[in-house]
Amino acid sequence: SQQGEEDPQALSIQEGENATMNCSYKTSINNLQWYRQNSGRGLVHLILIRSNEREKHSGRLRVTLDTSKKSSSLLITASRAADTASYFCATRSGGTSYGKLTFGQGTILTVHP
Amino acid sequence: NAGVTQTPKFQVLKTGQSMTLQCAQDMNHNSMYWYRQDPGMGLRLIYYSASEGTTDKGEVPNGYNVSRLNKREFSLRLESAAPSQTSVYFCASSDLGQRTYGYTFGSGTRLTVV
C-alpha cells in the first residue's frame, strides 16, 4: 500500500500564482522528499527534508514537515508554465540503512500562461 | 552526462514472452531500485539492491527477477510476460542512505504486453 497520499490530485493555476500541494503519510519517517515528473520523463529530485526539520527552502520551493500530523506541504511560489508537471512526495521510513522510498500517487499541476 | 541509463525505451511483448530491462548508473551509487508506474497508482517498488551482491523484494515482486551484475548495472527480467505487467518501468539509484540527494531516476521503459 502507498505510504504517502497527495492532495489535491490535480491543481490548475495561472502563471504568477502560488501552488500548494500536500502529502500525508502513515508511519514514522527518516526523511521526506519531493520529486517532479514532466510528461513522459523520469522523476527528478527537488528537495529533501529530514524528520527533525520543520521547514526548508530551495529557490522558489518551500517545504514544511509536521511529524505530529504526519504531513508535509510543497509550496511553489510565482509559478511558471514550465512548472507544469506531476509532483510526488516520497518517504523513507526510519530504521533502515538502504534508503528504500515509498511514493505517493502524485499531484498533477497545470500552470496556464 | 552522468546519470541512470535505461534500455530499451519502448517495448511490445506478446503474452508469455520474456525480456530483460537494462539499467546502468555511472555515479558510483551503492543502491539501485526498480519501480513500476501505473495510472492512479504512483510508483511501486518491485525489487531493490542495497549494495553490490544483494537484492531484495519490494512491494510487487511477483513475475519479476533481478540481477545486480556489478556496482553499475541492475537488470530486471520478466520470464513470462502478462498483460498485467504493461506499465512504465523506472530504474533509480542512490548513495547509501541517501542522506542528502535522494534518488536519480532513469527516463523509463514503456512496456506493453499484448
Side-chain angles (χ1 to χ4, degrees):
Chain A
S1 62
Q2 297 298 312
Q3 162 77 311
E5 293 184 3
E6 277 110 331
D7 170 57
Q9 290 187 328
L11 180 61
S12 182
I13 60 174
Q14 295 295 127
E15 237 180 359
E17 295 181 338
N18 295 341
T20 300
M21 289 159 270
N22 303 298
C23 170
S24 61
Y25 57 91
K26 299 173 183 174
T27 62
S28 63
I29 62 171
N30 180 284
N31 67 56
L32 185 144
Q33 305 176 26
W34 286 90
Y35 289 79
R36 183 187 74 234
Q37 184 181 34
N38 291 93
S39 181
R41 308 294 293 273
L43 282 73
V44 175
H45 181 255
L46 294 176
I47 194 166
L48 179 155
I49 186 166
R50 295 182 179 80
S51 59
N52 61 353
E53 297 176 311
R54 291 296 167 259
E55 187 172 313
K56 203 161 184 180
H57 296 256
S58 176
R60 293 184 296 112
L61 305 180
R62 172 178 170 254
V63 171
T64 61
L65 179 64
D66 187 335
T67 53
S68 67
K69 295 181 179 178
K70 292 186 170 60
S71 67
S72 173
S73 67
L74 171 68
L75 169 67
I76 304 174
T77 59
S79 296
R80 307 166 181 168
D83 294 327
T84 294
S86 294
Y87 291 81
F88 294 87
C89 69
T91 54
R92 178 190 162 191
S93 298
T96 61
S97 61
Y98 40 75
K100 188 173 58 173
L101 289 180
T102 303
F103 286 82
Q105 296 180 11
T107 293
I108 300 172
L109 172 66
T110 303
V111 182
H112 299 280
Chain B
N1 291 335
V4 178
T5 303
Q6 289 184 238
T7 55
K9 294 190 184 302
F10 301 94
Q11 184 72 48
V12 178
L13 289 179
K14 294 181 179 178
T15 298
Q17 287 185 320
S18 63
M19 78 162 295
T20 299
L21 282 64
Q22 307 287 351
C23 175
Q25 54 93 7
D26 58 5
M27 295 168 290
N28 201 37
H29 284 168
N30 287 295
S31 304
M32 298 185 73
Y33 315 84
W34 277 104
Y35 284 84
R36 60 178 288 173
Q37 184 177 32
D38 302 293
M41 300 290 291
L43 279 81
R44 292 181 292 170
L45 182 64
I46 306 171
Y47 270 94
Y48 63 97
S49 171
S51 60
E52 186 179 357
T54 69
T55 60
D56 284 286
K57 295 178 181 179
E59 183 184 354
V60 288
N62 291 345
Y64 306 95
N65 283 300
V66 290
S67 296
R68 184 74 183 265
L69 304 170
N70 47 54
K71 191 171 185 179
R72 292 186 63 248
E73 298 172 289
F74 188 39
S75 63
L76 178 71
R77 182 161 178 83
L78 287 70
E79 290 292 350
S80 179
S84 61
Q85 294 178 305
T86 293
S87 187
V88 182
Y89 292 85
F90 288 100
C91 177
S93 69
S94 71
D95 66 334
L96 193 64
Q98 38 158 308
R99 297 174 184 84
T100 305
Y101 301 110
Y103 283 13
T104 300
F105 279 85
S107 58
T109 295
R110 189 173 296 273
L111 175 67
T112 302
V113 183
V114 297

